[in-house]
């Protein structure tokens, strides 16, 4: 008689199972939208019954908030990591712009559009969006303050400068769902231009450096360029 072989399920710890559920929900959020996060949908993604998902998240709204928070936190950790052992603040800021612009950034831009819209009706998600916005401001402001302390940036108010940069990035990202192929280059680099102006950097410096760092590993130093300041030197000495 033919023998049947049952697939052996691996029993995971509660912490591992919960993390797996959140990661799956974050993937669905990025690829399909936060509205698509349901107990059934995540159960299908993990090949488990919806009841298992509800065991960890009795309220689906909590899972939606966790999914957004996980995706958004992964984004900020990639763009502005807390541990920056190599490179200067100028190089890290250029790297930030290299990864925070263009089509590669559209998925996360769509997620933010989605989350901000839904947060109007969903208190749990609204709180999470606010927390992630605060984390963004704090992380980027910290990088700018470090650059000011090292003489690479010049600004009277790093907090205001941070908000100006993020507002422009958010404004450009708001069009992630529309065709921007005809957008003039000057518009595409508005966020970079604001950063250069507000931080006392020569026009085009971040664009050139971002081009060099755009495909490199995290924290990779820039290639030598006589137009770029050395580490610890003022960006535009007078």
């Amino acid at each position: 008689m033919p023998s049947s072989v049952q697939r052996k399920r691996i029993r995971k710890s509660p912490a591992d199972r919960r993390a797996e559920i959140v990661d799956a929900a974050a993937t669905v959020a990025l690829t399909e939208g936060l509205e698509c996060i349901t107990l059934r949908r995540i159960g299908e993604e993990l090949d488990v019954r919806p009841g298992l998902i509800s065991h960890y998240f009795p309220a689906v709204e909590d899972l939606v908030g966790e999914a957004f928070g996980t995706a958004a936190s992964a984004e900020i950790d990639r763009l502005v990591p807390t541990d920056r052992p190599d490179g200067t603040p100028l190089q890290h800021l250029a790297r930030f712009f290299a990864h925070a612009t263009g089509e590669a950034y559209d998925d996360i831009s769509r997620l933010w559009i989605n989350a901000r819209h839904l947060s109007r009706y969903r208190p749990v998600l609204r709180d999470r969006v606010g927390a992630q916005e605060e984390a963004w401001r704090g992380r980027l402001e910290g990088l700018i303050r470090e650059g000011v302390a090292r003489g690479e940036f010049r600004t009277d108010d790093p907090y205001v400068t941070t908000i100006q940069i993020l507002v422009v990035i958010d404004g450009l990202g708001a069009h992630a769902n529309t065709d921007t192929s005809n957008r003039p280059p000057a518009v595409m680099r508005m966020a970079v231009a604001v950063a250069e102006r507000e931080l006392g950097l020569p026009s085009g410096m971040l664009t050139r450096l971002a081009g060099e760092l755009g495909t490199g590993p995290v924290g990779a130093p820039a290639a030598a360029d006589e137009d770029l300041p050395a580490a610890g030197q003022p960006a535009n000495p007078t």
Side-chain angles (χ1 to χ4, degrees), residues 78-143:
R78 183 175 72 91
L79 296 178
V80 194
T82 53
D83 184 14
R84 301 186 296 269
D86 300 316
T88 67
L90 174 62
Q91 291 168 341
H92 285 293
L93 185 63
R95 179 188 171 279
F96 164 79
F97 282 112
H99 291 283
T101 55
E103 294 182 3
Y105 193 70
D106 283 349
D107 281 347
I108 196 69
S109 292
R110 293 187 185 100
L111 180 62
W112 274 97
I113 295 170
N114 190 200
R116 283 174 170 143
H117 169 67
L118 293 180
S119 68
R120 179 179 179 183
Y121 315 100
R122 302 185 179 188
V124 174
L125 181 59
R126 181 166 60 245
D127 290 344
R128 200 59 185 261
V129 168
Q132 290 300 139
E133 289 176 337
E134 184 177 354
W136 254 111
R137 289 191 297 268
R139 192 77 66 88
L140 186 57
E141 182 187 358
L143 176 60

Side-chain angles (χ1 to χ4, degrees), residues 22-98:
V22 172
D23 286 344
T27 298
V28 170
L30 280 167
T31 58
E32 302 174 27
L34 291 166
E35 301 94 333
C36 294
I37 296 177
T38 64
L39 302 182
R40 181 178 298 277
R41 177 68 186 87
I42 304 307
E44 292 173 350
E45 189 75 12
L46 297 176
D47 193 24
V48 299
R49 294 181 178 181
L52 178 62
I53 311 300
S54 65
H55 173 74
Y56 289 91
F57 293 94
V60 71
E61 295 303 319
D62 292 333
L63 179 55
V64 170
E66 284 288 315
F68 169 73
T70 295
S73 294
E75 170 206 23
I76 190 173
D77 286 341
R78 183 175 72 91
L79 296 178
V80 194
T82 53
D83 184 14
R84 301 186 296 269
D86 300 316
T88 67
L90 174 62
Q91 291 168 341
H92 285 293
L93 185 63
R95 179 188 171 279
F96 164 79
F97 282 112

